[in-house]
Amino acid sequence: MPSPVAHSLAGVAFSRLQPGAKPSLLGWRGILATVIAANLADIDFAFEALSRVFPGVIEASHREWTHSLMAAVVFALGVLLFAWVRRLDRPLLWALFLGCAYVSHLILDIFTYTPRNPGGVPLFWP
């Protein structure tokens, strides 16, 4: 399983490949947002911890729905809505930029094996 550092670096590298990426997107705020987006799929670790605290109420494990293309699309749409409401310059580019950072996480996880979850990544969930 890639480390958060690997996910962060891959997210920044993958996002910088986007055509039309302006310097404002690549400033420190853009890089911070990219690092967060590239690691966001692993929020299911928090859900897994909660499932241990509340057994039977919350059922979760690592590499489930947060590691799907559906989650990446929902995240990118959320970024688009946020950027539009905040009147950021070029909201569609922000959504593409951070959505690609999220997808970079999925790509890294596809190419790694973990004995804890040998089922792979559910890209096409549900």
Side-chain angles (χ1 to χ4, degrees):
M1 178 169 64
S3 71
V5 173
H7 282 304
S8 299
L9 292 175
V12 170
F14 200 62
S15 293
R16 287 184 66 110
L17 295 175
Q18 297 310 307
K22 294 174 46 177
S24 64
L25 292 175
L26 302 176
W28 73 269
R29 288 185 179 123
I31 291 174
L32 179 64
T34 303
V35 166
I36 291 169
N39 286 286
L40 193 59
D42 278 342
I43 198 162
D44 55 6
F45 279 126
F47 299 144
E48 190 175 13
L50 285 174
S51 71
R52 290 187 189 126
V53 174
F54 303 107
V57 177
I58 299 173
E59 295 296 325
S61 66
H62 184 53
R63 289 190 179 181
E64 283 192 348
W65 63 272
T66 59
H67 285 71
S68 68
L69 292 175
M70 175 79 79
V73 168
V74 168
F75 172 73
L77 288 174
V79 168
L80 179 64
L81 180 63
F82 176 80
W84 181 72
V85 167
R86 297 282 303 197
R87 299 195 190 283
L88 296 179
D89 188 31
R90 299 177 75 182
L92 191 57
L93 188 60
W94 273 103
L96 180 65
F97 186 72
L98 295 178
C100 285
Y102 193 102
V103 170
S104 74
H105 184 108
L106 306 180
I107 291 170
L108 282 182
D109 279 0
I110 285 172
F111 293 108
T112 58
Y113 171 81
T114 174
R116 189 170 152 211
N117 190 350
V121 177
L123 275 183
F124 300 108
W125 178 91

